[in-house]
Amino acid sequence: MKFDLQRLKGERVARGITQAEMAHKIGISTNAYWRKENGERDIGMEEFVKILNVLGFKKKQISLFFAKDVHKSEHQRE
């Protein structure tokens, strides 16, 4: 499974929340949040739960933010 950063960004943008607002709501700097959303730094579980809360998702919806990492050889079979 691979964390889908594009989904995270898409959900944030769809709700009209800026990176600065998200950073403030979860208690980190805007720069730190930018690095996390762009894959330069890992998002910890505690931070991810806070992000889910800000976006209005329940913990049981966590799977929406993960994509199955399909090996290239499986793409060739299709």
Side-chain angles (χ1 to χ4, degrees):
M1 298 293 257
K2 180 180 172 185
F3 188 71
D4 189 350
L5 292 169
Q6 291 293 65
R7 176 71 186 253
L8 175 64
K9 182 177 182 176
E11 295 292 346
R12 177 184 59 73
V13 170
R15 286 162 176 73
I17 300 170
T18 66
Q19 288 182 332
E21 290 169 330
M22 179 62 80
H24 177 73
K25 290 178 184 215
I26 67 170
I28 62 175
S29 72
T30 302
N31 188 36
Y33 183 79
W34 181 91
R35 289 177 182 267
K36 291 170 184 287
E37 190 177 86
N38 286 286
E40 291 184 15
R41 299 278 188 249
D42 290 336
I43 297 173
M45 185 54 72
E46 187 176 313
E47 288 172 329
F48 185 54
V49 169
K50 290 178 183 178
I51 291 168
L52 287 177
N53 287 331
V54 172
L55 295 175
F57 286 94
K58 298 183 186 314
K59 288 180 187 176
K60 66 182 179 180
Q61 295 173 298
I62 194 170
S63 64
L64 296 172
F65 294 91
F66 291 88
K68 184 177 179 185
D69 194 15
V70 179
H71 193 271
K72 288 181 181 180
S73 65
E74 291 184 39
H75 286 290
Q76 295 171 352
R77 292 183 200 160
E78 296 177 359

